[in-house]
Amino acid sequence: MQGSLGEKIGDGLFADVYAWAPGQVVKLSKPGIPQWVVQHEAQMTPAVFAGGGPAPEVLGEVALDGRFGIVLPRFDGPTLMQATRTGAVTHEQAGAILAALCLAVHKTRPPPDALSLREAMDARLRFGGSVLPERITTGVLALIEHLAADDVLCHSDLHPGNVIMTAQGPRLIDWLGATRAPAAYEIAQCHVLLAELGPDYADDPVRATVNSALQAEYARLAGMPPAALTAAMQPYLPIVRVFLLLGGALPEMRERLIQRVEAALRSED
């Protein structure tokens, strides 16, 4: 696809984002990352976009020096995280924005090729290798089998850094982890990313306020008591933590996350 690699404007665990052409960016897999990892995003993103979900349009695919990439529109505007830090958006407003995006995702029909929660965990275990004690991997797989069947589309990485505040409204990016799972799994993912990781390891210690506002607004929009939402997400917390551990994010939190997973699995026995 016509374009040239420009300045690096973002990076993540599996891919880097570069300027590509006027109004476009290219998201390239990091060196050494298997092509199927980013190819899954290349399949999910246009399918969600075509289904009316809050995903960007995929403009093309490229291969550069052995790295697979997808070309996407370049959204102008700060991330929701940046907007809260500058005060342009309050933490309560940020939570409401995330809740509305969650519901929009959950109301979008899952693409036929979307992985189930069990399939997503199996894929992450293949990628992550033997980095966790067998008792944890065995326990979390058993927990997934025990919980409710997959039923809605989940983004699986819905946090303020993945929302861009454009003049046309919030835009949700980074669909690599899109999967079929209960909505409670998504809320559990948001809870861990915002309330457990954020306050200790981000420079915005009041992100927990965003999480509280998200859960309150999602419960209101979904027409359910907040206590019911809290109870529904609890069993999914250890699953979310295992995904994070297998992804290698925040190695300084590894022991704390393992302890929380083990405690949660024991309570499920």
Side-chain angles (χ1 to χ4, degrees), residues 103-158:
L103 199 63
V105 172
H106 300 164
K107 287 185 174 181
T108 303
R109 177 173 297 184
D113 295 333
L115 299 178
S116 68
L117 190 55
R118 173 59 191 260
E119 290 168 338
M121 181 61 75
D122 287 341
R124 186 60 66 89
L125 285 168
R126 289 198 306 272
F127 177 80
S130 302
V131 299
L132 292 176
E134 185 177 352
R135 65 184 182 276
I136 287 183
T137 56
T138 301
V140 79
L141 289 174
L143 178 59
I144 291 173
E145 293 296 331
H146 172 71
L147 292 171
D150 310 299
D151 53 4
V152 302
L153 174 67
C154 291
H155 179 274
S156 302
D157 196 18
L158 208 159

Side-chain angles (χ1 to χ4, degrees), residues 64-81:
L64 296 174
D65 299 325
R67 300 170 68 184
F68 175 78
I70 54 177
V71 179
L72 302 161
R74 181 167 186 169
F75 294 134
D76 293 324
T79 66
L80 183 56
M81 181 181 294

Side-chain angles (χ1 to χ4, degrees), residues 43 48 90 107 126 146 155 171 194 208 210-211 243 263 267:
Q43 295 170 337
V48 175
T90 69
K107 287 185 174 181
R126 289 198 306 272
H146 172 71
H155 179 274
R171 296 291 183 267
L194 291 169
V210 178
N211 179 56
F243 271 117
S267 70

Side-chain angles (χ1 to χ4, degrees), residues 77-91 93-94 160 165 203-204 206:
T79 66
L80 183 56
M81 181 181 294
Q82 292 167 335
T84 56
R85 287 176 178 172
T86 62
V89 175
T90 69
H91 289 84
Q93 290 170 333
M165 303 298 290
D203 58 1
D204 184 1
V206 289

Side-chain angles (χ1 to χ4, degrees), residues 17-102:
V17 180
Y18 298 86
W20 179 249
Q24 298 178 1
V25 298
V26 62
K27 185 172 185 178
L28 283 178
S29 59
K30 286 182 177 291
I33 297 295
Q35 181 170 320
W36 65 264
V37 174
V38 179
Q39 265 187 328
H40 179 65
E41 183 174 8
Q43 295 170 337
M44 293 298 101
T45 309
V48 175
F49 177 81
E57 181 180 10
V58 173
L59 305 174
E61 299 179 3
V62 298
L64 296 174
D65 299 325
R67 300 170 68 184
F68 175 78
I70 54 177
V71 179
L72 302 161
R74 181 167 186 169
F75 294 134
D76 293 324
T79 66
L80 183 56
M81 181 181 294
Q82 292 167 335
T84 56
R85 287 176 178 172
T86 62
V89 175
T90 69
H91 289 84
E92 290 76 12
Q93 290 170 333
I97 289 168
L98 292 174
L101 286 170
C102 275

Side-chain angles (χ1 to χ4, degrees), residues 10 12 15 44 71 76 140 162 172 184 189 200-201 211 242 258:
M44 293 298 101
V71 179
D76 293 324
V140 79
N162 275 340
L172 182 57
Q189 184 101 28
D200 291 335
Y201 291 90
N211 179 56
V242 168
I258 286 177

